[in-house]
Amino acid sequence: MVVLASSIVSKSGKVLVSRQYVDMSRIRIEGLLAAFPKLVGMGKQHTYIETDNVRYVYQPIEALFLLLVTTKQSNILEDLDTLRMLSKLVPEYSMSLDEEGIGRAAFELIFAFDEVISLGHKESVTVAQVKQYCEMESHEEKLHKLVMQSKINDTKDVMKRKANEIDKSKIEKTRVEKGGGYSSMSSLGSGRLDSSFSDMSISHGPGGGFGSGPAFGMDVEPMNTKAKDRSRSSVTAAPKSSGMKLGKSGKNQLMESLKAEGEDIIEDVKPTGQTRAAVAAPTDPFTLTVEEKLNVALRRDGGISSFDMQGTLSLQILNQEDGFVQVQIETGGNPEILFKTHPNINRELFNSESILGLKRPDQPFPTGQGGDGVGLLRWRMQRADESMVPLTINCWPSVSGNETYVSIEYEASSMFDLTNVIISVPLPALRDAPIVKQCDGDWRYDSRNSVVEWSILLIDNSNRSGSMEFVVPPVDSSVFFPISVQFAATTTYSGLKVNGMIPLRGGGGATPKFVQRTQLITQNYQVV
């Protein structure tokens, strides 16, 4: 068997991917591939076409053709076997079987074809082996990339710090030139406080964020001088008596001056019992967690660029003696979702009766697993139309004079009620916060990362759509992308539901009690 070339062409004759395995000129391979669509249109109902010099072995893939160009002396049965192997690899590397999807995964497909065909002859490999060979990783390459990324991040931090220092020195110089006395002294104090506040990075802990408890974690870099410590303590320390009226008014003036300059002032919050309370350990004998994670990329002009949903069902057992059970589940019957059981789970029992049980019933399920317990079932969904996406975002920037008007709209699907929605829109480097004209919900400007965060606590039937409008200086529209979205929901794509626990020991006693937790969360949800 001698394969001259393997190619993917459109039905109009456009060559998308082509890999040659023998020496041939570009003019010859282009001529061979250009003649193929004309030969197919002759009405023959075969999977191969022979000419005077070569043989075409092909297979339609939706609107495309997967094609092998071989010699006429080649074994047709081996050629068909090679074609079947390549047809299994194409969907593994291309998210969509169209011209755009094939073009995006062209290099990955060529590498995979090279693992199957070597010098025109088929290698004895499987699909799993090809994927393993193509995914070989280099530890040295990873280490080099980490070092380079660390250097880039350090350089960016230095640039931001220098830019802030230059801006503050310009503001300080302008204030000193405008007036003296108390105004110059107060501006000098404000400058010190600005520097100390710029060194403070505030991060939301597990209890923080929109719509949750007042838990904040502060990572404070060490101050360089005692003056910074004194100025910081004068702002954050609470007055211990009501007699110090002068100190209190001075603090208020400093706070007001900071707010006038656009700084975000975080008031002291006393810890409550809720923030100090430890997370309670599970008390239910069985806890089952259904979790689905979304990785979605939406196009800014509409449509879906990529969609990937991965779900897991986990079981957490409190006591070891309760581990001799089986789980009766019910799926929503979505044909686009593919389920995979754990290797130790009896797959035949699951396929026939939707029961998750161990292959060896005399062994119990393990207990004491960290996180959500031991995984029983996984599923995946990689195809969806735009109507099935939980949330779509439309961003319309338009420049008018010396201003850019940005209108953002969201539309939520009626399939899901979304909670803790945060839409993060990147902005150009600004000295002041953007001017927000209208907002359905709350918004916050993160000056450190140049991002405006639009938050909606709950999206249900009362607010399936909403909008936000703000104004910034004139910039290119690409600055506002990619837009990142975070949300959670209690409805899933799979509709998986646990109907009950089946005890394998205990002589048919009462049905064990269990708790089911279901959530749909975003892992990487963007508008690009």
Side-chain angles (χ1 to χ4, degrees):
M1 180 189 85
V2 178
V3 178
L4 302 180
S6 58
S7 309
I8 299 177
V9 299
S10 65
K11 291 189 176 181
S12 61
K14 181 180 178 181
V15 181
L16 306 179
V17 174
S18 182
R19 177 68 168 128
Q20 288 69 251
Y21 301 100
V22 297
D23 291 334
M24 69 171 61
S25 64
R26 177 178 176 179
I27 296 176
R28 187 187 177 204
I29 185 63
E30 286 181 347
L32 291 173
L33 296 178
F36 170 70
K38 302 174 184 177
L39 299 174
V40 173
M42 295 172 63
K44 294 182 179 180
Q45 300 295 324
H46 301 290
T47 58
Y48 71 93
I49 299 173
E50 288 189 357
T51 64
D52 295 337
N53 300 317
V54 297
R55 177 190 295 145
Y56 298 97
V57 184
Y58 64 94
Q59 176 178 335
I61 304 178
E62 294 188 4
L64 309 174
F65 283 113
L66 177 61
L67 173 66
L68 292 181
V69 183
T70 69
T71 60
K72 294 185 70 174
Q73 293 77 25
S74 177
N75 188 331
I76 186 80
L77 296 179
E78 293 185 3
D79 294 340
L80 291 173
D81 187 40
T82 304
L83 188 67
R84 280 193 293 270
M85 173 62 71
L86 297 183
S87 66
K88 293 178 182 177
L89 287 174
V90 172
E92 293 288 338
Y93 290 94
S94 177
M95 298 293 293
S96 58
L97 298 178
D98 53 13
E99 293 187 13
E100 184 178 355
I102 297 296
R104 192 181 298 114
F107 288 103
E108 289 81 0
L109 289 171
I110 290 176
F111 296 150
F113 287 2
D114 283 348
E115 297 295 336
V116 177
I117 304 173
S118 176
L119 299 176
H121 298 275
K122 181 180 181 298
E123 297 286 339
S124 180
V125 292
T126 63
V127 175
Q129 288 175 331
V130 171
K131 293 182 67 176
Q132 181 182 1
Y133 297 156
C134 292
E135 292 173 359
M136 287 297 182
E137 298 177 348
S138 169
H139 177 71
E140 288 77 8
E141 181 185 3
K142 280 186 175 181
L143 186 61
H144 175 73
K145 288 183 178 179
L146 289 174
V147 172
M148 293 301 296
Q149 188 62 39
S150 177
K151 291 181 179 180
I152 292 173
N153 293 337
D154 292 342
T155 305
K156 287 182 179 179
D157 291 340
V158 172
M159 289 171 60
K160 286 184 179 179
R161 201 155 43 240
K162 292 294 184 183
N164 289 334
E165 290 177 1
I166 292 172
D167 289 341
K168 288 171 184 174
S169 63
K170 288 181 180 179
I171 295 173
E172 203 65 43
K173 185 177 179 181
T174 304
R175 288 184 179 176
V176 171
E177 290 176 354
K178 285 184 178 179
Y182 176 75
S183 62
S184 63
M185 291 296 291
S186 63
S187 65
L188 183 61
S190 299
R192 293 196 188 99
L193 285 172
D194 286 339
S195 62
S196 65
F197 270 91
S198 65
D199 290 337
M200 183 181 296
S201 120
I202 300 176
S203 61
H204 296 286
F210 294 96
S212 54
F216 293 93
M218 295 190 178
D219 300 329
V220 184
E221 297 180 1
M223 304 299 173
N224 295 327
T225 61
K226 293 182 178 179
K228 289 184 177 181
D229 290 336
R230 287 196 297 270
S231 61
R232 178 178 178 274
S233 63
S234 68
V235 174
T236 58
K240 295 185 178 180
S241 65
S242 60
M244 298 297 290
K245 299 295 183 182
L246 181 60
K248 184 176 180 181
S249 62
K251 172 186 173 182
N252 292 336
Q253 290 176 357
L254 291 173
M255 298 285 276
E256 292 298 329
S257 64
L258 286 171
K259 290 179 180 178
E261 293 171 10
E263 292 289 343
D264 291 335
I265 306 301
I266 306 299
E267 300 288 346
D268 286 345
V269 180
K270 294 183 179 180
T272 63
Q274 180 182 359
T275 61
R276 289 194 302 264
V279 179
T283 57
D284 300 292
F286 301 99
T287 302
L288 293 112
T289 303
V290 178
E291 183 180 69
E292 291 184 353
K293 296 180 180 180
L294 279 178
N295 289 276
V296 178
L298 303 174
R299 298 190 187 97
R300 65 185 71 178
D301 54 353
I304 301 176
S305 178
S306 64
F307 181 93
D308 184 28
M309 181 276 293
Q310 298 183 17
T312 57
L313 171 63
S314 303
L315 170 64
Q316 190 171 14
I317 301 176
L318 191 61
N319 301 316
Q320 178 69 38
E321 58 271 14
D322 296 333
F324 297 94
V325 292
Q326 293 177 338
V327 184
Q328 177 73 60
I329 67 170
E330 178 184 348
T331 60
N334 191 332
E336 297 290 338
I337 295 180
L338 302 177
F339 290 93
K340 278 190 177 181
T341 58
H342 189 278
N344 293 334
I345 296 295
N346 189 335
R347 185 165 183 82
E348 289 76 14
L349 183 63
F350 169 71
N351 291 334
S352 60
E353 302 181 34
S354 297
I355 295 177
L356 294 170
L358 293 175
K359 291 180 179 178
R360 298 183 57 183
D362 57 330
Q363 289 185 347
F365 279 106
T367 59
Q369 299 288 328
D372 294 328
V374 60
L376 304 180
L377 187 65
R378 291 182 181 179
W379 57 94
R380 192 170 189 178
M381 176 179 171
Q382 292 183 299
R383 293 187 182 181
D385 53 23
E386 195 170 3
S387 63
M388 297 181 65
V389 174
L391 193 67
T392 57
I393 307 294
N394 293 322
C395 182
W396 298 89
S398 58
V399 179
S400 176
N402 294 326
E403 294 178 328
T404 299
Y405 290 84
V406 183
S407 298
I408 305 176
E409 298 177 346
Y410 75 81
E411 287 191 14
S413 170
S414 58
M415 298 168 56
F416 304 92
D417 288 346
L418 309 180
T419 60
N420 297 331
V421 181
I422 302 176
I423 303 171
S424 302
V425 183
L427 301 178
L430 301 175
R431 177 176 297 180
D432 300 319
I435 302 173
V436 177
K437 299 288 188 180
Q438 184 265 337
C439 180
D440 294 334
D442 299 322
W443 67 277
R444 184 179 76 91
Y445 174 58
D446 184 358
S447 58
R448 183 177 295 272
N449 298 315
S450 293
V451 171
V452 62
E453 293 182 348
W454 179 18
S455 62
I456 305 100
L457 190 62
L458 173 65
I459 296 180
D460 55 12
N461 291 329
S462 64
N463 58 344
R464 291 294 178 191
S465 62
S467 61
M468 177 183 183
E469 251 184 75
F470 61 86
V471 181
V472 294
V475 291
D476 186 71
S477 61
S478 62
V479 172
F480 304 104
F481 297 93
I483 300 174
S484 300
V485 184
Q486 302 176 31
F487 58 79
T490 56
T491 306
T492 59
Y493 282 96
S494 64
L496 191 144
K497 183 172 64 174
V498 179
N499 289 335
M501 308 294 294
I502 304 173
L504 299 180
R505 294 186 179 181
T511 303
K513 295 183 179 179
F514 66 92
V515 172
Q516 178 179 348
R517 299 171 181 169
T518 304
Q519 65 173 351
L520 171 72
I521 60 175
T522 57
Q523 193 170 33
N524 187 12
Y525 198 105
Q526 290 186 331
V527 181
V528 296

